[in-house]
């Protein structure tokens, strides 16, 4: 019998591998876009006006991920 979690796990690993292969800037921008989209979606679901908050959160996360270089290979 096939493991029902093999599909989602495999998809996660493929996406994770792709994201880790991105440049530092592209990874930071991707993070900013994902965060902005997520905050906007939650704001719409909760019927809240969060456009400025969502964009601010996305920009801050992109800057932090770029400055922190979370995918650097020299992790100790």
């Amino acid at each position: 019998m096939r493991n029902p979690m093999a599909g989602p796990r495999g998809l996660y690993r493929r996406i994770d591998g792709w994201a880790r292969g991105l440049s530092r800037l592209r990874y930071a921008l991707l993070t900013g876009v994902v965060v902005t989209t997520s905050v906007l979606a939650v704001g719409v679901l909760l019927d809240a006006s969060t456009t400025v908050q969502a964009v601010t959160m996305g920009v801050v996360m992109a800057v932090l991920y770029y400055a922190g270089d979370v995918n650097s290979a020299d992790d100790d």
Side-chain angles (χ1 to χ4, degrees), residues 4-24:
M5 292 302 290
R9 238 184 254 154
L11 178 62
Y12 171 79
R13 287 186 182 129
R14 285 194 302 271
I15 292 172
D16 185 54
W18 171 78
R20 288 181 184 273
L22 294 174
S23 71
R24 183 177 176 182

Side-chain angles (χ1 to χ4, degrees), residues 17-68:
W18 171 78
R20 288 181 184 273
L22 294 174
S23 71
R24 183 177 176 182
L25 178 61
R26 287 181 188 249
Y27 188 84
L29 291 174
L30 174 67
T31 301
V33 168
V34 169
V35 169
T36 301
T37 305
S38 301
V39 172
L40 279 173
V42 169
V44 167
L45 290 175
L46 298 178
D47 197 30
S49 176
T50 59
T51 304
V52 173
Q53 294 170 343
V55 171
T56 302
M57 178 71 88
V59 169
V60 168
M61 290 301 294
V63 168
L64 288 175
Y65 269 69
Y66 183 79

